[in-house]
Amino acid sequence: MMFDQISEYDFQFPVTARLDEPFLSKFLRTKNYVVDEAFKSIRRYYANVKRNLSFINGIRPSDFTLAMNEGPLVILKQRSKGRRVGTIHASKWIPKEMSLRDIQLSAIILYETVIEEQQTQEKGVVVIFDLKGLSFEQARFLTPRELKRILLTGQVGLQQGI
């Protein structure tokens, strides 16, 4: 079975790595069940987790309800060509109330949530960055380091085919 093939690869999975069937199915679906491609995606996923471990350590969805309910992150009910659509509205981000880290972690939680849907695994995700209303106060938080983290985290999703 394909799940056995993935777990047989010569790769040092983290001790806490999920290798259960539902988790592995996400990667297989996004790569049309091509085991080698799914395995590469899993490696990139865990490399990203390792690279950002100190950043994501201890996150809980309950910590980020502001960013997801009233803030800049929105997952639309409508899909585009079967793909899940997410929006990030700069005008709704108030740095005094919500840090850039909170927004990034909320985006990760949302991504991990919507990617559980089989249709999203097959069709993917589209993210729209609405920068209308981006202020100088907000822009000063977008340091090169933060921009790099945002881009690298987003690339892992793109590399998964999502």
Side-chain angles (χ1 to χ4, degrees):
M1 188 164 199
M2 284 184 256
F3 304 108
D4 296 331
Q5 290 174 344
I6 286 178
S7 58
E8 289 174 6
Y9 272 85
D10 186 23
F11 176 68
Q12 188 75 32
F13 285 102
V15 175
T16 58
R18 284 185 59 192
L19 295 174
D20 55 281
E21 196 167 315
F23 181 77
L24 296 176
S25 293
K26 291 189 296 192
F27 295 93
L28 286 164
R29 276 191 200 101
T30 63
K31 297 301 180 184
N32 295 318
Y33 295 92
V34 177
V35 175
D36 288 337
E37 294 300 315
F39 176 71
K40 289 175 188 174
S41 291
I42 293 168
R43 277 197 347 211
R44 285 189 297 266
Y45 175 86
Y46 280 115
N48 189 48
V49 168
K50 183 179 178 181
R51 184 174 46 251
N52 290 302
L53 196 56
S54 63
F55 181 73
I56 62 176
N57 200 19
I59 63 172
R60 297 180 315 227
S62 60
D63 294 338
F64 305 103
T65 54
L66 180 64
M68 294 185 275
N69 293 338
E70 303 168 20
L73 302 176
V74 177
I75 299 293
L76 303 180
K77 291 180 183 175
Q78 311 90 316
R79 292 177 176 265
S80 172
K81 298 179 184 175
R83 298 175 295 187
R84 182 60 79 182
V85 179
T87 60
I88 300 174
H89 300 277
S91 63
K92 292 186 178 181
W93 173 37
I94 302 168
K96 293 176 185 171
E97 295 178 12
M98 183 183 332
S99 71
L100 185 57
R101 182 179 187 272
D102 291 343
I103 293 171
Q104 290 172 303
L105 291 173
S106 298
I108 291 169
I109 291 168
L110 281 173
Y111 172 78
E112 291 287 342
T113 301
V114 299
I115 200 59
E116 293 296 323
E117 303 167 341
Q118 184 173 339
Q119 184 177 2
T120 303
Q121 294 165 12
E122 294 168 352
K123 301 293 183 176
V125 175
V126 175
V127 179
I128 301 167
F129 289 91
D130 179 2
L131 299 178
K132 183 178 180 182
L134 181 70
S135 69
F136 179 74
E137 179 188 359
Q138 294 166 318
R140 68 187 180 96
F141 289 97
L142 299 173
T143 64
R145 180 179 179 181
E146 292 302 322
L147 290 171
K148 180 180 178 183
R149 183 190 320 276
I150 292 166
L151 291 173
L152 287 174
T153 302
Q155 281 180 340
V156 170
L158 293 171
Q159 291 169 349
Q160 286 180 359
I162 296 167

